[in-house]
Amino acid sequence: MKALTILTIIASLASGDVLAGETGPMPAPPAAHSFTVGALRVTALRDSVNVVPNDGSVFGKDVGSNAVAALLRGVGLRTDRILLSVDALLVRSDTTVVLIDTGLGPAIPGSLGASLAEAGVKPEDISTVLITHVHGDHIGGLITADGNSVFRNAEIKIANPDWIWLQKQPEMKQLSSAISHQVKVFDPGEDVAAGITSVPIAGHTPGHVGYMITSKGESLLDIGDTAHSSIISLIEPEWTMGYDNDAEGGKSSRRRILNELSQSRQLVFAPHFPFPGVGWIERENGHFKWLPKR
């Protein structure tokens, strides 16, 4: 990113525009959007935004940037980049405060801390942190700029295959060392907190999971990185996603999960869809579309 003031970038994002030529992770203004799932108070938390260039490296890696541009042009969007939200989810009961994912953290810097404050929560209030997967935009907020654990009173739960994978990454050594004493691993599919069950969704990382949140007959599924763009990932779920560790596994999971969601009318939280990222997946003309919850 060029040397631009954070306030200038935030003003640009807030107005719905992105500065010409800028791509990559950028700051975004804090926001907290609350609703209920049964007896639980759930809050979508804004952290940042990722401006992805349409260069064939991420979206439509197998079909090329021209095909992606044609899709974007067809729905009235600019064709050179794709904007993705980077958000987290807070789940509160009478006795627990659970945070799902932590955003990009101090490198951007992310706005998760300020968004938590808008929700009336301090980092030390968090009792459990659940991680969908160990990419930097989901775990970066686990540590401070000087390498200390942010959620010092929390148990940090990570699927065992992802925790093993994370510890093998030299660039993540500071982070994994800082949180190791708080980490509790689980096998995908296990219950991880009261009313929250991990859901195996293979392909993105070795242990990528979603989280099904259930209370009093109501439910919400955090789909993690099953789908990134509310446009491209739904209209063309078969296109290769460059962020997936296993491209074919990612396609298979995306196709299966989107089919299931369109049939079940399951309410979902998608951390990279336009904030607050809460709504439903619907089938339309052989493809899928996003219906935001109002």
Side-chain angles (χ1 to χ4, degrees):
M1 189 185 303
K2 295 176 183 177
L4 297 167
T5 68
I6 288 174
L7 289 177
T8 300
I9 295 171
I10 288 176
S12 173
L13 294 170
S15 69
D17 191 20
V18 175
L19 295 167
E22 292 301 314
T23 59
M26 296 186 185
H33 174 82
S34 295
F35 55 101
T36 59
V37 175
L40 301 172
R41 183 168 178 80
V42 180
T43 306
L45 303 167
R46 182 185 282 144
D47 178 70
S48 52
V49 66
N50 185 19
V51 184
V52 181
N54 179 23
D55 60 3
S57 67
V58 179
F59 286 97
K61 193 173 180 181
D62 52 343
V63 297
S65 59
N66 288 339
V68 175
L71 186 156
L72 294 171
R73 189 179 302 112
V75 295
L77 296 177
R78 60 184 299 170
T79 62
D80 59 339
R81 66 197 68 185
I82 302 98
L83 270 64
L84 304 180
S85 288
V86 179
D87 302 321
L89 197 66
L90 184 71
V91 183
R92 286 175 280 185
S93 70
D94 290 338
T95 57
T96 60
V97 184
V98 178
L99 178 65
I100 303 178
D101 289 335
T102 67
L104 279 154
I108 302 306
S111 297
L112 181 64
S115 295
L116 277 169
E118 286 199 12
V121 174
K122 302 182 184 69
E124 57 266 31
D125 297 334
I126 304 295
S127 53
T128 303
V129 176
L130 303 177
I131 299 299
T132 60
H133 65 289
V134 295
H135 281 163
D137 56 334
H138 294 258
I139 63 171
L142 286 170
I143 61 172
T144 63
D146 55 2
N148 294 317
S149 178
V150 171
F151 306 102
R152 58 180 183 271
N153 296 327
E155 189 172 59
I156 300 171
K157 295 190 176 182
I158 302 174
N160 191 48
D162 258 26
W163 177 238
I164 293 171
W165 188 55
L166 177 67
Q167 293 176 93
K168 294 178 180 178
Q169 299 175 40
E171 70 276 14
M172 290 294 192
K173 183 176 180 179
Q174 182 185 42
L175 186 149
S176 58
S177 296
I179 65 170
S180 60
H181 65 289
Q182 296 174 263
V183 170
K184 182 177 181 180
V185 297
F186 62 86
D187 292 325
E190 289 185 352
D191 294 342
V192 289
I196 305 179
T197 301
S198 62
V199 178
I201 306 175
H204 190 56
T205 63
H208 177 249
V209 297
Y211 291 106
M212 182 66 81
I213 301 158
T214 306
S215 174
K216 293 190 173 181
E218 298 181 7
S219 62
L220 172 74
L221 176 65
D222 183 329
I223 66 171
D225 278 13
T226 304
H228 287 77
S229 165
S230 62
I231 304 296
I232 302 170
S233 302
L234 301 191
I235 295 177
E236 296 291 355
E238 296 288 340
W239 284 0
T240 296
M241 162 49 66
Y243 292 151
D244 286 345
N245 186 57
D246 173 2
E248 291 306 313
K251 287 182 186 181
S252 177
S253 288
R254 192 156 46 250
R255 179 173 58 247
R256 174 179 60 84
I257 294 293
L258 293 177
N259 270 317
E260 290 174 357
L261 293 173
S262 68
Q263 294 170 11
S264 67
R265 288 285 294 175
Q266 170 66 56
L267 184 66
V268 305
F269 170 72
H272 295 305
F273 284 14
F275 185 83
V278 180
W280 297 270
I281 303 294
E282 293 189 339
R283 182 175 284 280
E284 183 179 64
N285 299 325
H287 304 277
F288 300 96
K289 71 174 183 179
W290 176 239
L291 181 64
K293 184 178 185 293
R294 303 299 181 189

